Every structure is written in C-alpha cells, then in structure tokens.
Amino acid sequence: MYYDYYAGGAEDQYTLKENVEAFHRINILPRVLVDVGKIDISTSILGYRTSAPLMIAPTGMHKLAHPEGEVATARAAAACDTIMAVSFSSSCPLEEVASSCNAIRFFQLYVYKRRDISALLVQRAERSGFKAVILTADTPRLGRREADIKNKMIAPPLRNFDGLISTDVVTDKGSNLAAYASATFDASFCWKDITWLKSITNLPILIKGVLTPEDAIKALEVGVSGIIVSNHGARQLDYSPATISVLEEVVEAVQGKIPVLLDGGVRRGTDIFKALALGAQAVMIGRPVLFGLAANGEYGVKRVINMLKEELELSMALAGTCTVKDITRGHVRTQHDRPLCKI
Ligand code: FNR
C-alpha cells in the first residue's frame, strides 16, 4: 500500500511516464577541448549556498518509508549540504526536524479550510528557522490516485498536527487520504488570497505547481519570490504536460525576475543538466529520495543525493561546462529546435 502511494500517479499515469520520457527526448550538445580540470557544481537558491543545484522536494509522511521519517531525510540533506523542503503533511513535527540538524529547510504549505491551522504551521516553521514557504498551488483537491483507492490507503497519524486536528481514518470506502484532503483542503483558495499568506509571514514565498506562462505572469504580479514548475509528480491532473517540456516557456515569461525551479521525473545528473540548460535555477527530487530513505534511512538518502551530484559533475565535465553558469541553452537540443545544420 505504501509503495503504491509513493510510486503511483493519477488515473492513467500518462503524465507519470511523460515526466521521465520527456527528458529522454532532449539531447545534450557537448563542447570538446574545454579545460574541465576543475568542475564546480555548487550554486545558490534564494541566496542560500548549496553544494548542487538540487533540492529535496516536499513529500508527505516519510515515516511510511523509515521509522526516523523526516528527521533522517533532513540529516542527509545537512550532510550533503543541500536544501530540504519539508511537507505540510510531515510525519515528524517541524520542531523535531529543525532541531535534528542544521540543514537549510523550506516549509511546504497546504491551505486548509481551517486557515488558522495553516497559519499556525507557517508561524511554527518561521519560528523554527525555516527559510521560505512553498505554497503548493496544484492541489485544491487530491488527484485520483487509483492504487490508493483500491488499497483503501490509510495514512498514519500526522504528528505535525498533534493537538490541532484529527487525522484519523474518516471512511472505509476508497482512499482515506483523498477523503481527509477533501474534508480539510480549502478549494476556494486563489490568487487574491496570496495577500493573506503574505500578511502572516515574513518568509519569501514560492509557488509550486505552475505549468503555464499565464500563471507565471500572475505569480510575478502577486509578488512571490520564486516559481516551481511542477505537476506534483504526476499525482494531480493526469495529461498535464511533462514539466521539462514547459519549463522554457515559463522561464521566458518570467524574464529572469524571479528564480524558476523544476521537479518531476528527475532521475539522472543529465536530467539536472538539461533542466539548467532550459533555464531552471535548480531541480527538486521527490521519489528517488523516498526510495533511498526506504532502502536505508539517512544513508540511503545521502547515497541518492551523492549519486545525482556525481552524475551531474561528470555530465558537466563531458559537456565542457565547468560551473553551473556555463550551462547554456546552446548545450541542449529539444524536439522543437531546428537541426544543427542541413546535411
Ligand atoms: C509528493 N509531492 C508533494 N508535494 C507537495 O507539495 N506536498 C506534499 O505533501 C507532497 N507529497 C508527496 C508524496 C509523494 C509520495 C510523492 C511522490 C510526491 C510532490 C513532490 O513535491 C514533487 O512535486 C514530486 O515528487 C516530483 O516528482 P518526482 O521527483 O517524484 O518524479
């Protein structure tokens, strides 16, 4: 049941496959005879130095993967000098994650009908030293995840909400997670409500779930600090496009005014390279981190992050790029690009 919850996507899982396969359709164009004796993959995200242009995506309930849950993930993030986004649906309280290590942490937010609960969690995150709020905007309701429906997926109690709201099972029909979400999520939350969010926190706000230039422009208009191109790991609207296929349009709309990040289907260092070439400042990693956590706790997460970092470093060397700034649009060819030359 938990494996299906982690691995699955919505409905036909078309987007789930596409997120990965769209990366396969992009080529990397290397430059040769470049001095690549020294490669530096470090960068900064919202002004925070990080060892690589990758972050841990917010994913719910890490205790389903490992008894230490988010604490193990955060320790791995700290050890690898990478940023972790902690989910609103964390199975460990935010304070416990914060005190376990010195990883830079962002807090991912869902807005509940009980706004007071969402506001309280943002304030707790801010007090515990989280550096940014990631508002997940693609989840007014939960997508139709058919494996969870068949399995009658039951979420364990979420300790993050202790004393605030009961996360107990509410139905014996279908996914309990979906039932819980429709009872709690505020489906009426919209662009004008970003003003409310800004009024309750001083932290920078990123919007996660943008897939079109129109929404990117709206995000600029409401004055957020960053955009995450994401389809929620293909768990929400099936047949939404692969994130890498829309990245460039979003980046063009944003015109460098705020950073653009991407997640969905990033499985290799070459995928990170491609996302950077198409204008992302960094990528976020979802399922691979969960699988590393399930396989071997903190060590497993470290291993996943280090594998991706090593692959990125090698790809950069082989492509003739010494720093992340050296990776340009000219280093990739998408299906929409014209052939390099007429033969
Ligand atoms: C997610 N994702 C997610 N996003 C979010 O904003 N809040 C959340 O609580 C969760 N929970 C969650 C659970 C699980 C099991 C998965 C797989 C994903 C989405 C996540 O942040 C990210 O967008 C995707 O996981 C990225 O795609 P990949 O790397 O999994 O392909």
Side-chain angles (χ1 to χ4, degrees), residues 274-334:
K274 290 170 187 179
L276 264 52
L278 291 169
Q281 194 179 64
V283 299
M284 302 205 300
I285 314 292
R287 291 181 185 82
V289 166
L290 290 171
F291 295 150
L293 182 66
N296 209 352
E298 178 185 336
Y299 177 82
V301 176
K302 277 194 232 165
R303 191 77 183 99
V304 166
I305 295 172
N306 286 331
M307 282 165 76
L308 286 167
K309 280 165 67 170
E310 283 161 22
E311 288 179 11
L312 173 65
E313 202 254 355
L314 177 61
S315 307
M316 283 170 60
L318 297 178
T321 51
C322 295
T323 68
V324 294
K325 287 211 175 79
D326 295 337
I327 303 172
T328 66
R329 181 62 177 85
H331 286 97
V332 289
R333 187 173 55 176
T334 71

Side-chain angles (χ1 to χ4, degrees), residues 32-316:
V32 295
L33 295 179
V34 177
D35 173 358
V36 290
K38 247 201 195 137
I39 306 291
D40 177 7
I41 67 168
S42 70
T43 187
S44 63
I45 301 174
L46 293 188
Y48 297 100
R49 284 308 291 174
T50 162
S51 64
L54 69 90
M55 262 181 69
I56 296 181
T59 52
M61 301 183 280
H62 287 198
K63 282 199 177 173
L64 301 184
H66 191 274
E68 287 165 16
E70 286 78 5
V71 163
T73 316
R75 287 192 174 132
C80 296
D81 208 358
T82 47
I83 299 171
M84 173 181 181
V86 179
S87 167
F88 191 74
S89 312
S90 172
S91 41
C92 301
L94 299 179
E95 293 76 7
E96 197 178 308
V97 183
S99 61
S100 66
C101 64
N102 60 1
I104 306 274
R105 284 158 279 102
F106 295 174
F107 175 63
Q108 177 264 320
L109 175 70
Y110 286 131
V111 179
Y112 274 10
K113 289 175 189 153
R114 292 259 324 259
R115 286 259 178 110
D116 57 318
I117 293 179
S118 290
L120 187 68
L121 272 136
V122 169
Q123 280 147 15
R124 279 171 50 191
E126 196 164 350
R127 265 204 309 274
S128 312
F130 284 66
K131 303 294 187 201
V133 173
I134 297 179
L135 173 73
T136 298
D138 56 17
T139 312
R141 291 158 60 177
L142 222 59
R144 188 181 160 82
R145 305 164 191 174
E146 294 185 346
D148 292 352
I149 296 171
K150 273 191 206 134
N151 294 336
K152 301 192 172 161
M153 163 72 183
I154 297 175
L158 296 177
R159 298 248 347 264
N160 212 14
F161 298 117
D162 277 359
L164 293 176
I165 191 169
S166 163
T167 52
D168 288 349
V169 171
V170 284
T171 175
D172 63 355
K173 288 193 199 86
S175 163
N176 280 276
L177 205 62
Y180 175 74
S182 63
T184 49
F185 286 18
D186 181 0
S188 74
F189 192 87
C190 56
W191 288 105
K192 67 175 168 44
D193 298 313
I194 304 288
T195 317
W196 166 80
L197 182 54
K198 284 179 155 176
S199 76
I200 61 158
T201 182
N202 292 318
L203 294 176
I205 297 164
L206 294 97
I207 295 192
K208 174 171 181 276
V210 169
L211 290 171
T212 61
E214 290 96 308
D215 277 353
I217 289 164
K218 284 190 183 143
L220 283 177
E221 283 167 1
V222 297
V224 294
S225 303
I227 285 175
I228 302 168
V229 174
S230 172
N231 52 31
H232 210 113
R235 299 160 74 79
Q236 287 297 105
L237 179 63
D238 199 18
Y239 296 94
S240 61
T243 48
I244 193 68
S245 72
V246 295
L247 172 64
E248 197 169 21
E249 292 169 64
V250 171
V251 166
E252 275 168 14
V254 168
Q255 295 181 329
K257 289 178 186 150
I258 52 174
V260 177
L261 278 67
L262 169 137
D263 71 23
V266 177
R267 302 292 179 263
R268 286 279 189 188
T270 47
D271 296 337
I272 304 174
F273 186 100
K274 290 170 187 179
L276 264 52
L278 291 169
Q281 194 179 64
V283 299
M284 302 205 300
I285 314 292
R287 291 181 185 82
V289 166
L290 290 171
F291 295 150
L293 182 66
N296 209 352
E298 178 185 336
Y299 177 82
V301 176
K302 277 194 232 165
R303 191 77 183 99
V304 166
I305 295 172
N306 286 331
M307 282 165 76
L308 286 167
K309 280 165 67 170
E310 283 161 22
E311 288 179 11
L312 173 65
E313 202 254 355
L314 177 61
S315 307
M316 283 170 60

